[in-house]
């Protein structure tokens, strides 16, 4: 199996079984899925989330509850710039209700270099993960291959996205995987 075939397998299953939420179809995305909010609630309760002062978060719809809760708790949120790869926006003291669309973050955030504002936690979407901490993304966009930070990486996954062991080499490793039913820690 190739990375592309694995992605198609997951996206097709989510779509066929009505498990994908907006944006649909899930193809080409880190899917938003039925139960994602429960998975986010599970991740929010972790010491990693609670103790983080600055969170780097992808712009995927599935991560929206996590970004909003971080802002509600007064945390700083770093976002990849929507139109400038390698640039980041730092959001401080932003009411999450003002951020209607994540692509509008440039209106509320200040451009920063990642080295100037290192995160305590990184939130990324996923297409597939495994019970050993392996991760496969959508194949482009955030997080880029070059992204190296000294912080735990966390993601959300529907149970059908969690393999005992990925049938391909993982693109990266994650430290936390939250599903609606459980938390996996590595």
């Amino acid at each position: 199996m190739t990375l592309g075939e694995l992605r198609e397998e997951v996206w097709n299953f989510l779509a066929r079984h009505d498990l994908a939420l907006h944006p649909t179809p899930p193809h080409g995305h880190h899917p938003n899925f039925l139960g994602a909010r429960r998975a986010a609630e599970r991740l929010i309760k972790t010491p990693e989330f609670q103790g983080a002062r600055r969170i780097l978060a992808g712009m995927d719809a599935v991560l929206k509850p996590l970004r909003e809760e971080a802002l509600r708790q007064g945390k700083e949120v770093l976002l990849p710039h929507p139109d400038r790869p390698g640039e980041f926006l730092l959001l401080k003291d932003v009411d999450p209700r003002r951020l209607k669309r994540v692509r509008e973050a440039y209106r509320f955030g200040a451009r920063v270099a990642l080295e100037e504002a290192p995160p305590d936690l990184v939130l990324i979407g996923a297409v597939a993960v495994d019970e050993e901490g392996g991760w496969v993304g959508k194949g482009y966009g955030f997080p880029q291959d070059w992204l190296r930070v000294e912080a735990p990486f966390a993601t959300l996954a529907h149970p059908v996205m969690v393999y005992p062991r990925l049938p391909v080499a993982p693109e990266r490793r994650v430290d936390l995987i939250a599903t609606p039913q459980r938390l996996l820690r590595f």
Side-chain angles (χ1 to χ4, degrees), residues 89-103:
L89 299 166
L90 181 62
L91 303 176
K92 288 185 193 181
D93 303 318
V94 175
D95 182 339
R97 293 172 297 190
R98 292 186 66 204
L99 194 60
K100 300 285 185 216
R101 295 183 58 218
V102 74
R103 287 194 57 81

Side-chain angles (χ1 to χ4, degrees), residues 18-34:
D18 294 323
L19 298 172
L21 302 177
H22 176 79
T24 55
H27 300 73
H29 300 283
H30 290 136
N32 194 6
F33 55 86
L34 197 60

Side-chain angles (χ1 to χ4, degrees), residues 131-154:
E131 295 184 359
E132 299 173 2
W135 175 92
V136 169
K138 63 186 174 183
Y140 64 92
F142 185 81
Q144 295 87 347
D145 290 342
W146 54 260
L147 182 67
R148 301 280 181 263
V149 295
E150 295 298 320
F153 278 68

Side-chain angles (χ1 to χ4, degrees), residues 53-133:
R53 292 174 327 211
R54 183 178 302 125
I55 294 175
L56 172 57
M59 298 177 83
D60 305 293
V62 70
L63 300 175
K64 182 179 181 182
L66 296 168
R67 291 189 303 266
E68 289 179 344
E69 182 60 24
L71 289 170
R72 267 193 292 281
Q73 289 186 17
K75 299 176 188 299
E76 295 178 0
V77 175
L78 277 164
L79 296 172
H81 193 289
D83 302 313
R84 297 187 183 108
E87 288 190 19
F88 296 87
L89 299 166
L90 181 62
L91 303 176
K92 288 185 193 181
D93 303 318
V94 175
D95 182 339
R97 293 172 297 190
R98 292 186 66 204
L99 194 60
K100 300 285 185 216
R101 295 183 58 218
V102 74
R103 287 194 57 81
E104 296 174 352
Y106 67 88
R107 293 175 46 210
F108 304 103
R111 288 191 343 198
V112 297
L114 199 53
E115 303 77 40
E116 297 169 9
D120 302 309
L121 179 65
V122 181
L123 304 174
I124 58 177
V127 172
V129 292
D130 69 22
E131 295 184 359
E132 299 173 2

